[in-house]
Amino acid sequence: MQEIFGVKGQIKAAANPEPVRERIMHAAMQAFMELGYAEASTLEIATRAQVSKRELYALFGSKQAMLAACITDRAQRMRMPTDLPQARSREMLTKVLSKLGATICARSRIPQ
């Protein structure tokens, strides 16, 4: 079991084993979408991610850098697949468009 130091040096079990950077990215994206950039404070993001503000700044440096990382991550996940076959028939076109549609839906979904 992963352990972290709590208040006054007490050791406690980690509340969320998800990697810290991923938790911060997820919390930041949710806060930016719900509150807007101006209203999403670093304290709010740190609280949602269950990390300290110090840890947040150590990984990202600034709220602006977090927003840029969130946008970059979302753009990379939305890239279109390059392995789609060329549609030579109506049936093949249907399959290609179905695969493309499924890919777009999966990659553009808001992280839960």
Side-chain angles (χ1 to χ4, degrees):
M1 177 190 303
Q2 180 184 11
E3 295 181 325
I4 57 175
F5 286 97
V7 179
K8 296 185 182 178
Q10 297 172 348
I11 296 178
K12 62 179 184 174
N16 190 344
E18 183 182 1
V20 175
R21 184 175 177 83
E22 289 179 29
R23 284 201 330 259
I24 294 171
M25 294 272 291
H26 177 74
M29 181 61 93
Q30 294 291 57
F32 293 145
M33 290 187 323
E34 290 172 22
L35 306 171
Y37 178 79
E39 295 298 316
S41 69
T42 54
L43 178 59
E44 174 68 24
I45 294 166
T47 301
R48 289 179 184 218
Q50 300 175 337
V51 299
S52 67
K53 283 178 60 175
R54 178 184 212 166
E55 195 168 14
L56 186 143
Y57 280 109
L59 288 171
F60 291 94
S62 69
K63 185 168 84 167
Q64 184 177 3
M66 272 185 277
L67 178 61
C70 287
I71 292 169
T72 299
D73 179 63
R74 179 62 56 92
Q76 287 174 345
R77 286 190 289 120
M78 292 181 67
R79 284 192 157 161
M80 294 295 110
T82 57
D83 62 341
L84 293 175
Q86 186 174 7
R88 298 192 194 309
S89 68
R90 181 178 218 105
E91 182 181 334
M92 184 62 124
L93 178 61
T94 301
K95 288 180 183 180
V96 169
L97 291 177
S98 293
K99 182 176 178 181
L100 180 61
T103 301
I104 290 170
C105 287
R107 292 183 182 181
S108 63
R109 222 181 65 222
I110 296 172
Q112 297 298 326

